Amino acid sequence: MKSIEILTQEAIALLKSLIETPSFSSEEDQTALLIENWFTQNNIPFERENNNVWAFNKHFDTTKPTLLLNSHHDTVKPNQGYTNNPFEAIVKDGKLFGLGSNDAGGCLVSLLATFVHFYSNENLPYNIVMVASAEEESSGKNGLNSVLKHLPELECAIVGEPTLMQLAVAEKGLLVLDVIVKGTASHAAHNNPDNPIYNAIPVMEWFNSYQFEKISEVLGPVKMTVTQISAGKQHNVVPAECHLVVDIRVNDCYSNQEILDTVRKHLTAEINPRSMHLNASSIPVAHGLVQAGIALGRTTYGSPTLSDQSVLSCQSLKLGPGETLRSHSADEFIFINEIEEGIQLYIKILSDFFIQTS
């Protein structure tokens, strides 16, 4: 078995290669090859569909429950504020700069190293499946959600996202609604009591003031925000419709369907969800994974940002090196020692969890 020190060095080298290989969502084919090579170099059989790459532990046993390790290798496009080359892995002052270094390359390579560490263990109480997924940033149809049908039933998961290795025990879901408020088209010079723009005012007021009853202990209340409005094409024509876009961050007390049903119950408008699968997720603080982290001095919190947790139906913990505030920022970076600490903590948390469940 490779030492943790060697695995860490190899993981950092892999991250540098990933940074220098563009991998925008749905264009991750070359980084998928790098991940394939990682498994090959460690003598681990793998599977690939589209740009998702996954592998099972050596002594997979169908009688045991399965734990998922997951992070993504796609990135957003670099913003215009970069002063460094986003596709150059630059190490300076203990920081590794480059697009995707923090979100979520550091998490991905740390989980890959952790998977290799446990891969050949014959006495694990859980199977482990490692999935390096695509299209997370775009919530695309060919991401982790498309791999789940190839996996056994999952009992729990660790999703690698930058959390400063603190324990995100819940994550808000996302429901985006296209709302069409109807009216009657007419010439602006004529009296028209059915102007859809005016009709939209009470609709917007409802989204602004309505409070869902259930408030999550970790995630707080459901949050609804009107983010776009459009209507009309000419100054002298009252349009027939006013279009709104509403961003809803759903806590773990509700399903997206329950939120949609409530909106439709209260409003007279055409309401169309863009998707229904980006649900809230959570894991009990009493779960062994969380307790193993708490025993190591980690703290728990609720995350407002979306990840691949949203497509999982099992209990899942979001945990990883790096800091979420650096994600999608100019001159993105991760500290080298965050990766070193991340690998050590992943291994320690899983080791303690496995001892608990043996």
Side-chain angles (χ1 to χ4, degrees):
M1 179 186 294
K2 291 181 179 178
S3 69
I4 295 176
E5 291 74 19
I6 291 176
L7 279 173
T8 300
Q9 292 172 8
E10 293 178 350
I12 293 169
L14 174 60
L15 178 53
K16 292 177 180 178
S17 296
L18 291 170
I19 289 169
E20 295 184 347
T21 307
S23 57
F24 305 136
S25 289
S26 75
E27 301 174 17
E28 315 95 338
D29 52 306
Q30 294 304 304
T31 47
L33 287 175
L34 292 174
I35 295 163
E36 287 185 11
N37 291 338
W38 166 274
F39 285 127
T40 299
Q41 290 165 9
N42 285 283
N43 299 311
I44 298 175
F46 62 86
E47 298 181 50
R48 175 174 173 175
E49 183 176 83
N50 298 310
N51 294 325
N52 304 286
V53 186
W54 67 95
F56 299 92
N57 61 298
K58 185 174 182 178
H59 300 285
F60 185 92
D61 183 342
T62 57
T63 66
K64 295 179 179 180
T66 299
L67 180 149
L68 168 68
L69 303 179
N70 163 251
S71 192
H72 64 94
H73 59 105
D74 64 314
T75 72
V76 296
K77 293 186 177 180
N79 65 50
Q80 295 181 344
Y82 266 84
T83 61
N84 300 326
N85 179 351
F87 303 110
E88 182 181 0
I90 300 170
V91 178
K92 183 179 180 182
D93 299 328
K95 302 174 182 177
L96 174 56
F97 291 87
L99 182 65
S101 56
N102 182 77
D103 183 18
C107 303
L108 175 63
V109 300
S110 298
L111 283 172
L112 285 167
T114 300
F115 177 76
V116 172
H117 175 80
F118 288 104
Y119 171 73
S120 296
N121 192 312
E122 295 185 39
N123 301 308
L124 296 175
Y126 277 72
N127 299 309
I128 305 177
V129 55
M130 173 73 215
V131 180
S133 54
E135 297 192 13
E136 189 272 347
E137 296 290 3
S138 61
S139 301
K141 64 180 181 179
N142 292 320
L144 176 62
N145 51 307
S146 69
V147 176
L148 296 177
K149 62 181 178 290
H150 301 300
L151 306 182
E153 182 179 356
L154 302 172
E155 182 166 297
C156 55
I158 295 177
V159 175
E161 290 284 339
T163 70
L164 289 173
M165 290 305 291
Q166 304 303 330
L167 309 164
V169 296
E171 173 186 278
K172 280 192 172 180
L174 173 63
L175 182 61
V176 178
L177 302 180
D178 289 300
V179 179
I180 302 175
V181 181
K182 302 284 188 176
T184 301
S186 70
H187 195 292
H190 299 153
N191 184 38
N192 183 351
D194 192 30
N195 185 322
I197 299 174
Y198 296 153
N199 294 345
I201 293 173
V203 173
M204 289 187 285
E205 288 177 340
W206 183 86
F207 280 116
N208 184 50
S209 62
Y210 185 83
Q211 298 291 322
F212 284 87
E213 180 179 352
K214 298 176 185 177
I215 299 176
S216 168
E217 291 183 7
V218 181
L219 296 174
V222 173
K223 185 177 186 298
M224 300 192 291
T225 308
V226 177
T227 56
Q228 294 176 262
I229 180 170
S230 61
K233 295 182 179 179
Q234 294 179 223
H235 76 89
N236 59 349
V237 178
V238 174
E241 298 177 345
C242 181
H243 293 235
L244 310 175
V245 177
V246 185
D247 179 295
I248 305 178
R249 303 292 165 155
V250 183
N251 67 23
D252 53 331
C253 301
Y254 295 94
S255 69
N256 286 358
Q257 185 63 54
E258 289 173 315
I259 299 296
L260 178 62
D261 291 344
T262 300
V263 174
R264 284 177 167 165
K265 176 183 176 181
H266 284 84
L267 296 179
T268 302
E270 182 179 327
I271 299 165
N272 300 305
R274 294 188 178 180
S275 67
M276 294 294 293
H277 67 281
L278 302 175
N279 289 291
S281 56
S282 64
I283 188 169
V285 172
H287 193 279
L289 281 174
V290 181
Q291 287 299 307
I294 291 173
L296 294 172
R298 305 290 97 184
T299 59
T300 62
Y301 74 101
S303 173
T305 58
L306 203 66
S307 75
D308 269 334
Q309 280 185 290
S310 62
V311 303
L312 296 174
S313 57
C314 66
Q315 295 175 340
S316 57
L317 173 67
K318 184 157 68 175
L319 173 69
E323 183 176 10
T324 186
L325 294 177
R326 299 182 211 137
S327 299
H328 305 180
S329 65
D331 296 336
E332 180 183 348
F333 70 89
I334 188 168
F335 286 99
I336 296 290
N337 64 11
E338 288 177 329
I339 299 171
E340 296 167 347
E341 179 193 45
I343 294 172
Q344 293 171 2
L345 281 171
Y346 276 143
I347 290 174
K348 181 61 175 169
I349 287 171
L350 284 175
S351 296
D352 292 350
F353 173 61
F354 291 152
I355 290 171
Q356 294 173 28
T357 53
S358 295

